[in-house]
Amino acid sequence: MSKPIVAIVGRPNVGKSTLFNALAGENISIVKDTPGVTRDRIYADVTWLNHSFTIIDTGGIEPESSDVILSQMREQALIAMDTADVIIFLTDVRQGLVDSDAKVADMLRRSSKPVVLAVNKVDHFERQMMDVYEFYNLGIGEPVPISAEGKQGLGDLLDQVAAHFEDSRSAEEGDEIPKVAIVGKPNVGKSSIINKLLGQNRVIVSDVAGTTRDAIDTTVRWNGKDYVFIDTAGLRRKSKVREELERYSIIRTVTAVERADVVIVVIDAVEGITEQDAKIAGIAHDRGKGIIVAINKWDAIEKNDKTVNEFSGKVRSILSFMPYAEILFVSAVTGQRLPKLFDTIDMVLENQTLRVATGVLNEILTEAVALQQPPSDKGKRLKIYYMTEVAVKPPTFVVFVNDKKLMHFSYLRYLENRIRESFGFRGTALKFIVRERREKEQ
């Protein structure tokens, strides 16, 4: 099931980034095994009690005047309303209630998305409660007093946020149709691919606005089977500032990827693969999704017998953190290899949910350890007791060892390669959790 998305909206200097960092804790470190993918501090994964969710910072505002503040706050609110399951509206007890707060609150109230009102910079809960109560006037429910800097009141805030998760998710429960997100930079041909798939299939398509979001989900029927395509292309905000547009497209991508089982990263063959493509692919990799890299506009390329290999080599080198990704060369214009897309989606879905019996897994482990000794440090050698698969989407393995610190990243990568040699797992990330077990527990 996809994780809920929580967006933070608020005026300049109310402490949005402080709150974001306080909630994200240390989760927002750059992911070590993904060269070329810097984690923008736009989104982070948060776990609260038994809830996991993704938090999004809708953006900073650099105001020149109050008009600019209001228009940019509206922009943030629109992004939040487009993408979030729950919105945290952050205000500031020291500045008090201001006009732009009220105007944005009106928008949020009309959006019918759940909104949690947080009043920040409350250092003395008892003494400042009368000032907090003033925010009842916004008409969006009970204000929750917090201090993002002092990390006070965050538990109450998260309780309020989490209370809305069940409602927003129930609509998506029980839906077994595979969900496929089509992501990529603007103008790489995401919509053209979907339109071509529809044209070929001749189905009547109902473009129903997503149940919990305003993204357009399109159902495509292929060989008697339905697939839901989540398109990130149709929703473009007009923005003069490139950074703002890029931030918006990353937020868009995160929310589409979160809901998907398989992600198709579309790359423009004419332009070639870029760092921004790697950043977008990295979002899907971070979230352990099935990944297909579709090189579009392949019909526009002059080819010889080496072209495919050379282009694949470049893609593999820039996306070196996800060697498992499937690569397809397609053309939305001619329809070349688009039918192959469905076969590949099916294969990746199967690999995402593949379960390996513990006995078989440990035979492979024993063989792998015999072929390449585990690392040692200061005379102490890593012992691997056993391994078991505990979850799917992505396939997740727990490895029990004598000392976690001895498990080098490179040895884990070696074990992953052995597992892939035996079972394929093409198109999906694998996740490994290393746990310590004392010898006497054996």
Side-chain angles (χ1 to χ4, degrees), residues 11-12 61-73 100:
R11 280 183 297 115
I61 303 172
E62 293 304 323
E64 292 116 52
S65 69
S66 57
D67 292 353
V68 174
I69 292 181
L70 182 57
S71 71
Q72 292 211 334
M73 271 183 78
S100 54

Side-chain angles (χ1 to χ4, degrees), residues 77-88:
L78 282 169
I79 291 175
M81 280 149 49
D82 255 0
T83 53
D85 292 301
V86 183
I87 297 165
I88 295 176

